[in-house]
Amino acid sequence: MRNRLTPQFGKIYQKLHQYIRNLAHTGKLRKLKFINFILLIGIGIIFAAIGTTTDWATSKTPVTSYKTSWIGNTFGGGDKWVQNNIEAMYVAPNGKVYTNSIWDEAGREAGIYQDGDVIGALKDTHGWGRVGGKAITANSKYVYIAMQQGSVGQIDKDYPSEGTKWYCVRRYDLAGEPAPFTAGRGWDKSMLIVSNQNAVTGLAITDKELYVSDAADNRVRVYNTDTMKEIRSFNVARPRGMTVDGKGNLWIIQSKVGNSPAKIVHYSPTGKQLPAEITDIVEPSAIALDHQGRLLIADNGPRQQMLTYNIQDQPTQVATFGSQGGVYGGVPGEVKDLKLYGLTGVGTDTTGNIYINSNGFNTSGTDLRKFSPSGKLVWQLLGLIFVDNADADPKTDGIDLFTKQEQFLMDYSKPAGKQWTYKAYTVNPFKYPQDPRLHTSPDGTWVRRIQGKPFVFLTDMYESFLQIYRFNPEKDGKIAIPAGMFVGTRGGGGQSIKGDWPPYQPEKGEWIWRDRNGNGLFEKNEYDQSEDYPFIGGWWVDNQGDVWKTLRTHDGIGIRHYPLQGLDDHGNPIYTYSSMQKQKTPSFFTDLRRVEYIPETDTMYLSGFTVDHPPVGDDTKVVGSEIARFDNWSQGNSNPRWRVVIPHDTTGKREVLTASMSVAGDYVFAVTVKTAEVYVYNAKTGDFVINFKPGPEVANESGWIDIPYGIRAFRRANGEYLVFVEENWKAKVIVYRWRPENNS
């Protein structure tokens, strides 16, 4: 009887409680208080008598279990995660890999890895105006990293003055603790200021001398590794990464400028330019010496390989490593052991094992690999996700997942964190150099099937655009091809996107771009232009491919509907301003934020701030204070079936905010900003059902939800729900798996 009675009394309570909430809207507060008191006392007595639990009092559905998993990072969190975007690395003789990033959300700008594991970090690289950089090296005593120190208003504690930045080399011991020196700067005296103008772009070392590329001054500076005093300097145009060979001479990457190509130049330790140089590499991005004294150079051009040069006399290329064309060889975009992409680091240890880091393009994420001397993959460490979320391909029932740059294949029979396989990197900068992902920072992903074909839609943190990608497996493999883009009107007038990209964009107003000739380039005759209210509130792509947009407007007409007009001859979705429909905002919304329309049931879900629950301050990225459901929307119904108040700020302290919402199947999901807690509501009634919180699989932790579309839900054919939540703090997406009990 216990199991049967609990849900039944729960239903009675929920109906009565809804009645109380309705009374509250009429202002009959005294009646509300009295009825609520009698209701609670009565039900409490009944359930005390029959010995049942009152779990239903906070959840209509009996509390059911959910599982926490993740994708995109080798490790789940806690003390172990792979950092964002390794920009440089140094491989020690014993196989320890020291790395440097400009930014890691969780504070590991400089990590230490060995044997496929995270074994440490260089400390104190994050916060108080500090970030990492693009160079790192080490000797038998110390590790040296390029870094940046900004002002924090504490000159008395040896921070830069206001408006000033120090571009530094910071010294650490091999365990990762800062190693101060007599003339050191900064609060702990471990920083060497190299420039106030430009970042340190390269580091190389012998036991006694540290070589530093000062690109701002076109010089290489030489310091004593113990005292950190400058010994000498010499001119080198545009110096970048460098290494020291067995004779003590320097090999320096000289970056390209204008019509001058990049090349590798050769200098003596005292600054004399030597005759040998390497000029046949399109884009050298990293350089090191291998265990045999040969030069290793990462070519980040179309070949996407590591090149090996014998430098005993005239440099001669003797080997290549990695597949020709990298990830774009074979099936373009398909991830394989020897397919590299976006190389930022190369090196070997004393036994000849090879280490290569790939970052993708436009800071796509870390892919650090170790290979045996024969070229077999030994281990791979991934930290792929930053300010991003995932969505499921509806045709494959959640087996194929997409983020803004990656495709993952799921096997849900495996343990948490082991269910995903990194299958594809979907950006090709060589074939599609105007891909918006190379010029903007999208972060919210929808996967849709239109006429059976897959499409990916992306928006950004401030909802200023919506990007559209198609696929052509026969010609482009796994690559997502730029197909279209919506861009809103810029506040203050002028071009919607400042700068040289995209070419030919309208001089003012908003626009829709469609790749009319299928080449992925923005061309003059490919824009549809309009002018509309510039204050954007939210995007949505429904299951039929229609695009919806909300405007945070107060004129009462804040919903835009762009019905899909079909696919063109190249497979691009067609949207036009002439077919756009304007729809009224329901009157109780004062600031409309999100829209999700379900065409199969003609159901509309809207969120925003309301007359009853107005905003406190202006949090531009949040959902608002209420979510409402409307039935028969296409018939003009603006009376909500239900309204639910969600966690929102009422104090001005911004401690309680809801970042994102997503509707799937029978439930509405929302996630809070700071606690990253998922609230689940019944889509039929609006009643609260259950909370999800990060489980032990991810160390019970999450960063803040930073993006408007930081949650995405998907119902599988077996009734299980997959709920994807942004977790950029430690470079992953959290995946909740939940199978609710029948509560109809």
Side-chain angles (χ1 to χ4, degrees):
M1 183 172 71
R2 183 183 182 98
N3 291 335
R4 292 196 303 271
L5 284 176
T6 298
Q8 294 303 318
F9 277 103
K11 292 177 182 178
I12 294 170
Y13 178 87
Q14 292 293 350
K15 290 179 179 178
L16 289 171
H17 192 261
Q18 184 65 46
Y19 171 66
I20 293 169
R21 285 165 51 185
N22 292 338
L23 287 176
H25 284 296
T26 68
K28 298 177 181 179
L29 296 179
R30 291 184 179 179
K31 191 172 183 179
L32 167 66
K33 292 178 182 178
F34 176 76
I35 292 177
N36 200 32
F37 175 77
I38 295 300
L39 174 64
L40 291 173
I41 292 297
I43 291 180
I45 292 171
I46 292 171
F47 273 78
I50 64 176
T52 55
T53 127
T54 56
D55 285 346
W56 49 265
T58 56
S59 173
K60 181 177 179 182
T61 300
V63 175
T64 56
S65 62
Y66 60 90
K67 297 179 181 179
T68 306
S69 188
W70 75 92
I71 64 171
N73 202 293
T74 300
F75 303 102
D79 293 334
K80 291 190 178 183
W81 72 97
V82 179
Q83 72 203 81
N84 298 136
N85 300 311
I86 291 173
E87 300 283 356
M89 74 178 193
Y90 172 80
V91 181
N94 63 359
K96 282 187 180 180
V97 181
Y98 297 91
T99 63
N100 197 2
S101 303
I102 294 174
W103 178 264
D104 177 67
E105 189 77 7
R108 183 177 286 148
E109 277 79 5
I112 309 173
Y113 303 90
Q114 191 171 28
D115 298 328
D117 200 2
V118 179
I119 63 170
L122 306 188
K123 297 180 180 178
D124 191 41
T125 58
H126 192 83
W128 288 91
R130 286 185 286 280
V131 294
K134 292 190 174 185
I136 188 167
T137 192
N139 61 11
S140 59
K141 292 176 63 177
Y142 299 112
V143 182
Y144 304 81
I145 67 167
M147 54 88 65
Q148 177 183 313
Q149 176 66 64
S151 60
V152 295
Q154 295 190 17
I155 300 175
D156 58 324
K157 295 183 179 179
D158 204 16
Y159 284 91
S161 57
E162 192 68 28
T164 302
K165 293 180 180 179
W166 294 344
Y167 297 101
C168 305
V169 173
R170 194 173 187 187
R171 190 173 76 174
Y172 289 82
D173 64 26
L174 299 182
E177 297 288 344
F181 48 94
T182 302
R185 298 296 301 274
W187 72 272
D188 67 352
K189 310 305 178 187
S190 66
M191 300 176 193
L192 170 71
I193 303 172
V194 176
S195 173
N196 295 120
Q197 303 174 52
N198 198 63
V200 170
T201 51
L203 293 171
I205 201 165
T206 65
D207 279 343
K208 294 298 182 182
E209 293 188 337
L210 175 67
Y211 297 87
V212 178
S213 291
D214 181 359
D217 203 27
N218 290 313
R219 298 189 73 77
V220 170
R221 302 184 183 278
V222 189
Y223 299 88
N224 181 283
T225 56
D226 291 322
T227 67
M228 298 298 285
K229 291 182 178 180
E230 186 170 340
I231 302 169
R232 61 186 178 275
S233 66
F234 49 89
N235 291 330
V236 177
R238 308 180 306 280
R240 299 290 173 178
M242 54 185 167
T243 191
V244 182
D245 67 21
K247 298 177 181 178
N249 296 320
L250 291 162
W251 296 86
I252 306 169
I253 296 175
Q254 190 175 66
S255 61
K256 60 183 176 182
V257 61
N259 294 324
S260 299
K263 58 183 177 180
I264 312 299
V265 293
H266 192 198
Y267 279 79
S268 74
T270 57
K272 178 182 178 182
Q273 186 165 6
L274 302 175
E277 60 181 32
I278 300 171
T279 60
D280 60 347
I281 300 177
V282 174
E283 190 173 340
S285 58
I287 191 167
L289 214 65
D290 76 0
H291 66 301
Q292 298 179 40
R294 301 178 301 178
L295 201 61
L296 306 177
I297 303 171
D299 185 351
N300 204 31
R303 65 190 303 165
Q304 292 292 296
Q305 290 177 303
M306 184 185 77
L307 313 179
T308 303
Y309 285 80
N310 187 318
I311 53 173
Q312 292 301 313
D313 297 306
Q314 186 67 23
T316 304
Q317 184 183 322
V318 295
T320 63
F321 188 85
S323 300
Q324 176 73 31
V327 78
Y328 308 111
V331 177
E334 185 178 41
V335 173
K336 294 288 187 180
D337 291 354
L338 291 171
K339 297 175 73 172
L340 309 173
Y341 59 110
L343 286 72
T344 64
V346 295
T348 67
D349 57 28
T350 54
T351 59
N353 294 303
I354 300 164
Y355 302 77
I356 299 179
N357 186 72
S358 296
N359 257 15
F361 297 88
N362 195 17
T363 60
S364 295
T366 289
D367 184 341
L368 176 59
R369 307 183 193 184
K370 175 183 176 179
F371 300 90
S372 70
S374 64
K376 183 180 180 180
L377 182 67
V378 178
W379 50 255
Q380 180 181 26
L381 295 178
L382 299 171
L384 299 173
I385 308 297
F386 182 64
V387 193
D388 199 358
N389 200 7
D391 197 14
D393 181 351
K395 184 176 181 180
T396 65
D397 197 31
I399 301 301
D400 286 294
L401 307 182
F402 289 84
T403 55
K404 62 186 175 186
Q405 294 143 335
E406 297 88 14
Q407 179 186 357
F408 300 96
L409 183 67
M410 302 296 288
D411 181 349
Y412 295 104
S413 68
K414 293 184 178 179
K418 305 294 185 183
Q419 298 157 348
W420 59 279
T421 301
Y422 182 24
K423 294 299 292 184
Y425 179 71
T426 65
V427 181
N428 188 338
F430 304 109
K431 187 171 183 179
Y432 300 109
Q434 291 185 22
D435 186 331
R437 292 173 293 181
L438 300 170
H439 303 273
T440 64
S441 299
D443 51 48
T445 305
W446 290 279
V447 181
R448 295 291 183 262
R449 288 273 172 168
I450 302 174
Q451 297 181 15
K453 299 177 181 179
F455 292 85
V456 170
F457 294 77
L458 304 173
T459 188
D460 67 319
M461 184 177 289
Y462 298 100
E463 303 169 292
S464 58
F465 58 70
L466 181 71
Q467 300 167 355
I468 308 169
Y469 293 87
R470 64 182 174 90
F471 294 86
N472 185 346
E474 290 76 20
K475 293 184 178 180
D476 286 271
K478 303 290 187 178
I479 300 301
I481 305 164
M485 187 171 182
F486 287 77
V487 174
T489 302
R490 184 181 185 86
Q495 287 188 333
S496 294
I497 299 177
K498 289 184 176 181
D500 298 331
W501 180 91
Y504 307 111
Q505 68 169 305
E507 291 299 320
K508 63 178 181 177
E510 64 177 20
W511 45 262
I512 302 172
W513 168 75
R514 176 162 55 90
D515 183 27
R516 295 175 186 268
N517 61 9
N519 65 0
L521 300 176
F522 287 72
E523 297 181 332
K524 194 170 185 178
N525 64 341
E526 295 183 340
Y527 292 89
D528 188 8
Q529 182 184 2
S530 179
E531 292 187 49
D532 206 343
Y533 194 81
F535 211 8
I536 296 175
W539 294 96
W540 171 248
V541 184
D542 69 31
N543 293 334
Q544 293 181 351
D546 289 10
V547 170
W548 299 76
K549 183 171 76 169
T550 62
L551 304 180
R552 295 176 56 190
T553 177
H554 298 280
D555 66 3
I557 311 174
I559 300 173
R560 304 293 186 262
H561 177 204
Y562 300 86
L564 175 70
Q565 303 298 296
L567 303 180
D568 66 18
D569 292 341
H570 299 284
N572 302 304
I574 303 172
Y575 304 98
T576 65
Y577 287 113
S578 61
S579 63
M580 180 190 75
Q581 303 166 3
K582 294 185 178 182
Q583 300 180 1
K584 290 184 178 181
T585 304
S587 59
F588 58 88
F589 280 110
T590 59
D591 185 349
L592 196 59
R593 296 300 184 93
R594 304 285 192 275
V595 52
E596 295 202 15
Y597 177 70
I598 314 300
E600 296 86 349
T601 57
D602 193 18
T603 307
M604 174 65 81
Y605 296 86
L606 297 173
S607 79
F609 291 102
T610 64
V611 173
D612 298 324
H613 300 281
V616 178
D618 185 20
D619 288 296
T620 59
K621 294 183 287 186
V622 302
V623 162
S625 58
E626 292 192 44
I627 299 173
R629 169 177 169 162
F630 303 84
D631 295 334
N632 305 312
W633 178 260
S634 67
Q635 300 176 30
N637 176 41
S638 60
N639 295 315
R641 176 170 176 169
W642 51 256
R643 293 166 57 181
V644 62
V645 178
I646 55 178
H648 65 284
D649 184 18
T650 59
T651 65
K653 296 180 181 179
R654 304 183 73 250
E655 291 299 322
V656 180
L657 302 165
T658 298
S660 309
M661 62 175 274
S662 182
V663 181
D666 297 325
Y667 299 93
V668 179
F669 301 83
V671 64
T672 55
V673 174
K674 294 188 177 182
T675 61
E677 185 175 359
V678 176
Y679 285 71
V680 185
Y681 302 93
N682 186 301
K684 295 179 182 178
T685 64
D687 292 320
F688 172 79
V689 177
I690 192 174
N691 278 127
F692 303 156
K693 299 179 182 180
E697 300 88 348
V698 294
N700 304 108
E701 64 182 14
S702 172
W704 291 8
I705 308 303
D706 292 328
I707 61 177
Y709 303 94
I711 189 169
R712 186 78 72 242
F714 179 82
R715 182 171 65 179
R716 303 185 69 202
N718 63 5
E720 178 185 51
Y721 286 80
L722 305 175
V723 183
F724 309 105
V725 179
E726 174 213 19
E727 209 294 88
N728 68 359
W729 186 41
K730 293 186 177 174
K732 62 182 180 293
V733 169
I734 288 178
V735 182
Y736 294 105
R737 299 177 61 193
W738 177 54
R739 190 190 297 271
E741 296 181 13
N742 188 343
N743 66 335
S744 58

